[in-house]
Amino acid sequence: MGLYLISVCAEDWFTEGEDGWGETATALNHELRRQGLPPYESVPEEADFVRGSRQAFEEKMVPSMDGFVALCRAHLSREDEETFYGWTVLVPFSLDETIRLPLGSGYAEASTVVAGAPQVLAIAERLAAAIGLPAETPRMCHNLDLTMWFMDGAAKRLAAARPGPWSDDLDAAFYVALMLRAAQHSVRRGCPMAYS
């Protein structure tokens, strides 16, 4: 099966138990209120699957992350690294700092770390510029489009025709693109993103 990064609709976000993120939503809203911030309640409903609609997001975490982590260490501060890829849930609004909730998740058993998509997006844009992520990188990410582009040869063919820093490590470039597109999707749709 593997690990997926997906967009979360309202029904799943507010559903308690194994099939939803209700405990996370409740704990996050409690913490937001404690910080004097409004609760996060305006999660969009699930949209029907229509190719090219950009209403849902689903990508599979296939390659090794070793090169990606090394790339981040070379270009980012430790704090930016943690914000950029240390989260387990991404929300579409700004947070001054990540929020650690005492809840396990499918991705991390000890706690759930919530980051703001605008902060992740800013870091992703810097890193994408640093490696020269090509404009051909898929923007539609609702049916493993990004995963397939990198894994099925299109990225390799483009790298052979137009090499650059992005093509030095295609696995690392995949994760830069994944974080970029996930943050863009979260901000555009106003939805949370989570690992499943």
Side-chain angles (χ1 to χ4, degrees), residues 50-56 139-140 142 184-185 188-189:
V50 177
R51 181 160 287 288
S53 68
R54 301 172 73 185
Q55 298 298 301
R139 294 178 182 279
M140 302 293 140
H142 57 270
Q184 288 171 334
H185 183 85
R188 183 180 65 253
R189 280 280 289 151

Side-chain angles (χ1 to χ4, degrees), residues 46-53 55-56 58 141-145:
E46 185 173 13
D48 291 334
F49 177 77
V50 177
R51 181 160 287 288
S53 68
Q55 298 298 301
E58 179 185 19
C141 301
H142 57 270
N143 193 25
L144 306 180
D145 297 317

Side-chain angles (χ1 to χ4, degrees), residues 76-147:
L76 303 176
S77 69
R78 186 73 183 136
E79 183 179 343
D80 281 352
E81 273 186 77
E82 290 177 10
T83 299
F84 186 49
Y85 67 86
W87 52 269
T88 49
V89 172
L90 195 62
V91 291
F93 50 87
S94 291
L95 293 172
D96 289 339
E97 57 186 26
T98 57
I99 295 174
R100 189 170 298 275
L101 303 173
L103 301 169
S105 67
Y107 179 65
E109 292 182 14
S111 63
T112 295
V113 179
V114 182
Q119 285 77 22
V120 172
L121 179 56
I123 297 167
E125 288 172 339
R126 285 191 350 242
L127 204 51
I131 65 168
L133 193 69
E136 291 86 347
T137 304
R139 294 178 182 279
M140 302 293 140
C141 301
H142 57 270
N143 193 25
L144 306 180
D145 297 317
L146 189 64
T147 303

Side-chain angles (χ1 to χ4, degrees), residues 1-8 21 56-62 65 68 84-91 107 113 115 117 120 140-147 174-186 191-196:
M1 294 246 331
L3 186 66
Y4 291 81
L5 178 55
I6 61 167
S7 54
V8 181
W21 279 268
F57 187 104
E58 179 185 19
E59 294 293 344
K60 189 171 185 180
M61 314 279 286
V62 177
M65 291 186 79
F68 172 68
F84 186 49
Y85 67 86
W87 52 269
T88 49
V89 172
L90 195 62
V91 291
Y107 179 65
V113 179
V120 172
M140 302 293 140
C141 301
H142 57 270
N143 193 25
L144 306 180
D145 297 317
L146 189 64
T147 303
F174 167 76
Y175 284 107
V176 172
L178 180 69
M179 295 301 170
L180 176 66
R181 298 301 185 228
Q184 288 171 334
H185 183 85
S186 180
C191 68
M193 310 293 289
Y195 294 101
S196 173

